[in-house]
Amino acid sequence: AGILNFCANNYLGLSSHPEVIRAGVETLERFGAGLSSVRFICGTQSIHKDLEEKIARFHQREDAILYASCFDANAGIFEALLTPEDAVLSDELNHASIIDGIRLCKANKYRYKHMDMQDLEAKLQEAQKHRLRLVATDGAFSMDGDIAPLQEICRLAEKYEALVFIDECHATGFLGPNGRGTDELLGVMDKVTIINSTLGKALGGAAGGYTTGPKPLVDLLRQRSRPYLFSNSLPPAVVGCASKALDLLMESNAIAQSMAAKTQRFRSKMTAAGFTISGQDHPICPVMLGDARLASVMADDMLSRGIYVIGFSYPVVPKGKARIRVQISAVHSDEDIDRCVEAFTEVGRKHGALP
Ligand code: PLP
């Protein structure tokens, strides 16, 4: 009781939004608990097609395909798209599911240093010998809250005739003027070819993932993507919730803006208090502490003051870069944010993280 959650990916607070919950209940009642089938047998209802159409419209892309999770979307795409004649160039800090997806494909693999455009260019030059090149990056990186330099990536991709793939799990719904994601934020919506993202974070927080992009690509995935072909359809209630979440975001960007204002409040107050917050204007606000034990002890102490946060240390983050990762949500009030900053200040002083 009275504990504030500052470690969920519920960026927009939609997992407890009354309209999202009602939509889930209504869809459950009308369309049943589940399909007991994969999509291409008897697992496609009108709501699945409607949601795919809505996702494509939201991202301003031609088509979309649903998966049980974004992990599945990432596991399915590289193998379906790339052959041994092709190449994939991946940021070294990409999410585990991108790394696993790439492992499953037979393309030539290049790993460039985190957000290092010189290294990407060198790898693109090396990869010119291959038939097709795909640059794969997280749009926003979840450990540091930093944002991929998509303008530069797209410029290099154009120069070296590569396609660009972004994972938007920590961007969809709230980054950019209308919450479309990092491609909107950085003005490259027409240059990024493929987006994978999740319904399990900002868009209602239940489960589900998708790929959106050119129609021929989505058609190919429906034919060849193994997690799509061989795993059950999304349950109707989950589809209903995500669909309503997208409706709310397409009606207004007020929720995303409120989250951005609270992020700004937290970041500026914490910086003024003397903490170092990593990342750029992102609701993932890593409070950098360095020492693993300090991060863990401080997180425990925060909980005793009613603030739920988690310490991250090696091997989840590099040695010496332990932190407490705070995540801001639109459902936090200004008072909640201030309570969190006050608790950090007290706990930081107590444990010597602040003078
Ligand atoms: N990609 C990124 C960047 C993520 O952070 C996550 C979840 O942690 C995933 C993919 C997987 O998403 P899902 O939970 O929908 O499988």
Side-chain angles (χ1 to χ4, degrees), residues 9 68-74 94-98 138-142 167-170 196-201 206-210 325:
N9 298 309
S69 68
C70 186
F71 204 108
D72 278 355
N74 286 343
N94 275 343
H95 188 260
S97 54
I98 300 178
D138 279 8
F141 290 84
S142 61
D167 175 323
E168 288 282 88
C169 284
H170 295 278
N196 275 9
S197 193
T198 186
L199 305 173
K201 300 193 196 295
Y210 57 85
R325 188 178 73 170

Side-chain angles (χ1 to χ4, degrees), residues 87-90 109-113 116-136 152-164:
V88 55
L89 301 98
S90 170
K109 291 150 194 153
Y110 295 82
R111 205 164 64 135
Y112 62 91
K113 291 195 195 106
D116 182 331
M117 294 299 101
Q118 272 186 348
D119 196 32
L120 174 59
E121 181 155 22
K123 299 280 157 48
L124 276 165
Q125 282 165 354
E126 242 184 276
Q128 283 305 99
K129 54 185 182 266
H130 305 298
R131 188 187 64 141
L132 194 142
R133 286 156 293 286
L134 178 68
V135 180
E152 191 60 7
I153 289 176
C154 291
R155 192 186 67 72
L156 288 174
E158 246 168 43
K159 184 168 170 192
Y160 294 97
E161 296 183 324
L163 301 173
V164 177

Side-chain angles (χ1 to χ4, degrees), residues 9-21:
N9 298 309
N10 184 21
Y11 298 112
L12 299 175
L14 295 182
S15 64
S16 53
H17 193 289
E19 285 188 50
V20 173
I21 294 171

Side-chain angles (χ1 to χ4, degrees), residues 93 114-115 138-148 278-280 282 284:
L93 292 192
H114 181 48
M115 303 208 309
D138 279 8
F141 290 84
S142 61
M143 282 304 137
D144 290 308
D146 50 354
I147 292 167
S278 164
Q280 317 144 359
H282 194 281
I284 292 174

